[in-house]
Amino acid sequence: MRAVVLERFGGPLVLAQVKDPVPGPGQVLVRVRASGVNPLDTKIRAGGAAHAQSRLPAVLGLDLAGVVEETGPDVTGFAPGDEVYGLTGGVGALQGSLAEFAAVDARLLAPKPASLTPREAAALPLVVVTAWEGLVDRAGVHAGQKVLVHGGAGGIGHVAVQIARARGAEVFATGSAASLDAIRRLGATAIDYTATAVEDYVAEHTGGEGFDIVFDTVGGATLDASFAAVRTYTGHVVSALGWGSHSLAPLSFRGATYSGVFTLLPMLTGRGREHHGDILREAAALADEGALKPLLDPRHFTFSTVMDAHAAVESGTAEGKVVIDVEE
């Protein structure tokens, strides 16, 4: 089969012929239709994502949407011809989705949302699992809460806004001036973080009490800002990018709590993979109810232009999630 292969960190992605995968016990062979591109994919290619534990030569691509071609032993719930999507590979020793076929753990898959195209479905898995683990699993978001999403127009952020709203929360989201209209279209109150200090938007939108949940999708100084924006006593901060060194004093002085999200853990350890499939089923239901839809970059990339797709993500010029069409 054809696949895009990374032979050395920092090098180009190369189109090559590789051996067809064969599904083992508990695996499903998927004919890949579309592969989502995430910032993590570009960091792995550059050799800057040691936590992904990628082994060379590697086929990258975390997200996929496709059709079940064959099921291995001990697989139930899927049959040839089923349309599926999932966060299935591209880290550790797991083959990624930049290939015509992928043999993947059936626990990581879910039926594709009927209302979404393969391109739209391939844009969702990593970001929707991350957002769900943060907002639902860690913070227990529910109706009546005020939720602040940092980076509300970004890959994780725009999905987090939609999940929080679907669960009844009042949602606010930070972004640059250029992203505020996109945030408003998602149904959140937009906050220009470049023009408004943390204490000012906390005072304006919460009467100085702080937000019930603050979801940080940016990291760095934004995580520190999250500690200052959360509600006293009962507030909860969640971060998908808890890198670096941070003082917990502002959080402790508010009596609030913190959780981190490491979405790759089930893929790297093999533990808890069923939950990823469960989340994707919940997300599919939201999508089919009209409550969840990814923002897609309008450009169409293929195997021959995969480096252009990565460049679009790295440069920050993409207008929504970048997706590679595997079936040209």
Side-chain angles (χ1 to χ4, degrees), residues 1-7 9 13-19 21 32 35 41 44-45 54-63 88-102 303 310 326:
M1 68 173 181
R2 295 186 310 147
V4 177
V5 180
L6 178 67
E7 297 175 337
F9 292 122
L13 296 168
V14 179
L15 184 60
Q17 291 286 334
V18 302
K19 187 176 180 181
V32 183
S35 171
D41 293 298
I44 292 172
R45 194 196 81 243
S54 301
R55 306 173 194 175
L56 300 182
V59 175
L60 303 187
L62 296 154
D63 298 329
T88 59
V91 297
L94 302 178
Q95 182 209 302
S97 56
L98 286 176
E100 292 180 305
F101 295 93
F303 278 171
H310 273 227
V326 176

Side-chain angles (χ1 to χ4, degrees), residues 264-280:
L264 305 184
L265 199 58
M267 300 167 71
L268 296 174
T269 66
R271 297 171 55 188
R273 290 182 176 181
E274 295 90 347
H275 188 50
H276 277 198
D278 292 341
I279 292 171
L280 291 170

Side-chain angles (χ1 to χ4, degrees), residues 4-308:
V4 177
V5 180
L6 178 67
E7 297 175 337
R8 61 179 177 84
F9 292 122
L13 296 168
V14 179
L15 184 60
Q17 291 286 334
V18 302
K19 187 176 180 181
D20 290 347
V22 177
Q27 290 187 324
V28 169
L29 182 66
V30 178
R31 179 186 292 273
V32 183
R33 285 183 169 171
S35 171
V37 183
N38 297 280
L40 179 57
D41 293 298
T42 68
K43 292 173 185 175
I44 292 172
R45 194 196 81 243
H51 63 286
Q53 302 176 24
S54 301
R55 306 173 194 175
L56 300 182
V59 175
L60 303 187
L62 296 154
D63 298 329
L64 66 72
V67 179
V68 174
E69 189 83 2
E70 179 185 345
T71 60
D74 305 322
V75 172
T76 59
F78 294 104
D82 289 347
E83 292 188 302
V84 295
Y85 77 134
L87 169 62
T88 59
V91 297
L94 302 178
Q95 182 209 302
S97 56
L98 286 176
E100 292 180 305
F101 295 93
V104 304
D105 190 328
R107 295 175 295 174
L108 296 170
L109 291 172
K112 181 186 75 66
S115 60
L116 300 186
T117 67
R119 283 173 52 78
E120 290 171 327
L124 278 177
L126 175 64
V127 294
V128 84
V129 170
T130 303
W132 191 279
E133 287 187 339
L135 288 172
V136 181
D137 293 346
R138 305 291 193 276
V141 62
H142 57 78
Q145 291 183 312
K146 289 190 174 184
V147 174
L148 174 65
V149 177
H150 284 303
I156 299 170
H158 87 282
V159 169
V161 167
Q162 294 176 79
I163 290 173
R165 291 191 71 241
R167 296 180 73 86
E170 183 181 3
V171 184
F172 304 79
T174 62
S176 63
S179 69
L180 299 184
D181 283 344
I183 289 171
R184 293 187 188 102
R185 286 195 296 271
L186 292 168
T189 298
I191 299 170
D192 184 348
Y193 76 93
T194 67
T196 311
V198 176
E199 58 269 23
D200 291 336
Y201 64 70
V202 168
E204 179 182 356
H205 298 299
T206 74
E209 292 295 320
F211 297 90
D212 297 291
I213 299 171
V214 182
F215 190 15
D216 163 40
T217 73
V218 180
T222 302
L223 180 54
D224 295 317
S226 301
F227 294 158
V230 71
R231 180 179 288 275
T232 302
Y233 293 126
T234 58
H236 194 94
V237 174
V238 185
S239 181
L241 289 168
W243 308 109
S245 299
H246 299 268
S247 172
L248 295 178
L251 187 73
S252 299
F253 290 154
R254 300 180 80 87
T257 54
Y258 169 80
S259 294
V261 176
F262 184 29
T263 313
L264 305 184
L265 199 58
M267 300 167 71
L268 296 174
T269 66
R271 297 171 55 188
R273 290 182 176 181
E274 295 90 347
H275 188 50
H276 277 198
D278 292 341
I279 292 171
L280 291 170
R281 285 176 173 83
E282 296 270 10
L286 287 181
D288 289 339
E289 292 166 5
L292 175 63
K293 192 174 182 67
L295 300 176
L296 286 190
D297 186 277
R299 290 170 288 183
H300 286 255
F301 298 97
T302 65
F303 278 171
S304 60
T305 56
V306 66
M307 288 299 292
D308 293 334

